[in-house]
Amino acid sequence: SLFRLKDLEVPKLGDCDVHVKMLAAPINPADINMIQGTYPLLSPLPAVGGNEGVGEVLEVGPRVTALKPGDWVIPANAGLGTWRTRGVFPEEMLLKVPSDIPVLCAATLSVNPCTAFRVLADFESLAPGDSVIQNAANSGVGQAVIQIARASGIKTINVVRDRPDLPKLVERLTALGADHIVTEEMLRKPEMKDIFKSIPRPRLALNCVGGKSTTELLRHLQPKGTMVTYGGMAKQPVMVPVSAFIFRDVRLRGFWMTQWRKEHSQDQESVAGMMDALCQLIRQGQLTAPACTKLPLQDYRAALEASMKPFMSSKQILLL
């Protein structure tokens, strides 16, 4: 009961403000963590939840130059509070996105695909034919990694938890372009060697689980390879065998999209370059929105509950 649906006055439009009608906003794990207070970003309370979404510009203040009514916008940073029907925001808190992409793609663009894009680009220089291994491959980031890698000719080894509807999940990830899908248990099996007959061992491992899953991922990393941790869904530390450090000189790095945005707030070129690349992939049908369940804002309780269920393969999206 941390949540209430409230009617508020829409604030007056300042000179540099933009009045936005929100269209759709997803519920991400980090949104829940922020509400529980277990995330490094804390909004002053009372606060509006939601860090991601897409809206349409209704009206702009006289000094706003880059946006006009009818434009689509997404948050430039975390903490915007997207679970609302309308909002008035300073222009610099918004990024324009093309309105010729599907609304669900735009609504889920600013967090997961951006994270996937950066972790694939910023840590190892991967070339077509190289491979990447990742856990939680059916997460929002995981699905984006599969598709972005596929578009660049990079092979993916995708680790998922065993579950009742595993064949269905395998089918879905294969359709997105996953090259290999294995369960956590299979990471220890000799059959893993068969995978590396057709593709090289990965130079990059992407971890958003932690605990035992991470240790198993590292086992398959190439010498001098990099493991990037961008989440910790198992809420357990990353355990690294000493041998991996000494004999294989693996690198362990971390990534947080919020931090990247902070560091690149003055570097509009890399932000625009990333957004253009992602929108281009979306237009070409090479990057799709994750599997979504759409709910009206009134059903926010059901949406929040569903988003916290284990093995939830569908992202809850509030239609505003």
Side-chain angles (χ1 to χ4, degrees):
S1 69
L2 292 163
F3 281 97
R4 275 186 207 86
L5 199 53
K6 287 192 73 158
D7 284 319
L8 304 171
E9 287 286 302
V10 175
K12 206 166 107 15
L13 194 71
D15 282 0
C16 303
D17 287 345
V18 179
H19 183 182
V20 177
K21 171 184 184 286
M22 291 303 295
L23 301 172
I27 298 177
N28 291 317
D31 301 330
I32 305 286
N33 296 343
M34 265 178 85
I35 292 150
Q36 292 166 338
T38 58
Y39 202 69
L41 283 180
L42 294 173
S43 303
L45 296 174
V48 177
N51 290 293
E52 192 178 33
V54 62
E56 184 187 328
V57 175
L58 293 177
E59 197 188 347
V60 299
R63 295 177 56 188
V64 172
T65 52
L67 295 170
K68 60 183 189 311
D71 285 347
W72 277 15
V73 288
I74 62 173
N77 297 299
L80 191 69
T82 53
W83 301 345
R84 63 172 102 211
T85 54
R86 297 193 171 201
V88 170
F89 309 106
E91 177 181 19
E92 73 269 11
M93 290 175 74
L94 303 167
L95 282 179
K96 182 177 165 173
V97 290
S99 53
D100 66 345
I101 60 174
V103 71
L104 292 183
C105 288
T108 53
L109 184 60
S110 64
V111 179
N112 296 328
C114 290
T115 299
F117 187 90
R118 298 262 55 104
V119 292
L120 284 170
D122 295 352
F123 296 92
E124 287 281 345
S125 43
L126 300 169
D130 282 344
S131 79
V132 171
I133 190 166
Q134 63 166 346
N135 54 22
N138 61 317
S139 66
V141 173
Q143 292 177 53
V145 163
I146 290 170
Q147 296 174 85
I148 296 167
R150 182 52 170 303
S152 328
I154 294 159
K155 306 287 179 197
T156 55
I157 303 157
N158 300 283
V159 186
V160 297
R161 288 181 296 174
D162 201 2
R163 63 192 62 217
D165 59 346
L166 188 64
K168 226 163 82 187
L169 177 61
V170 168
E171 198 181 314
R172 221 182 70 212
L173 296 183
T174 305
L176 291 180
D179 296 287
H180 299 275
I181 301 159
V182 297
T183 61
E184 296 276 0
E185 293 70 31
M186 281 170 66
L187 282 176
R188 296 197 78 105
K189 302 262 166 69
E191 292 92 299
M192 283 299 289
K193 289 204 176 64
D194 297 342
I195 291 181
F196 300 121
K197 284 177 187 154
S198 60
I199 63 172
R201 283 187 174 269
R203 293 225 311 273
L204 180 66
L206 305 175
N207 164 50
C208 78
V209 179
K212 208 171 112 208
S213 176
T214 315
T215 314
E216 299 299 338
L217 278 194
L218 276 173
R219 189 188 291 272
H220 302 291
L221 204 54
Q222 262 190 45
K224 293 199 186 307
T226 305
M227 184 174 77
V228 180
T229 293
Y230 67 90
M233 281 151 69
K235 299 198 170 29
Q236 289 158 353
V238 167
M239 308 287 271
V240 183
V242 169
S243 60
F245 275 133
I246 299 176
F247 303 119
R248 292 195 295 125
D249 187 19
V250 298
R251 280 142 232 257
L252 266 64
R253 302 284 308 273
F255 181 78
W256 188 29
M257 194 64 222
T258 300
Q259 186 60 31
W260 187 92
R261 288 193 192 284
K262 254 187 212 131
E263 287 165 8
H264 293 80
S265 59
Q266 298 312 305
D267 176 8
Q268 281 317 300
E269 252 166 74
S270 30
V271 177
M274 170 173 69
M275 299 317 277
D276 289 349
L278 290 170
C279 289
Q280 209 39 43
L281 288 174
I282 290 168
R283 283 197 197 94
Q284 290 158 358
Q286 292 178 297
L287 179 61
T288 55
C292 292
T293 303
K294 300 179 277 199
L295 291 158
L297 185 58
Q298 289 73 12
D299 296 351
Y300 71 93
R301 282 185 202 280
L304 285 165
E305 265 165 45
S307 72
M308 298 204 256
K309 283 201 183 100
F311 301 124
M312 192 60 195
S313 295
S314 185
K315 196 172 269 300
Q316 306 297 305
I317 304 252
L318 299 168
L319 294 184
L320 308 158

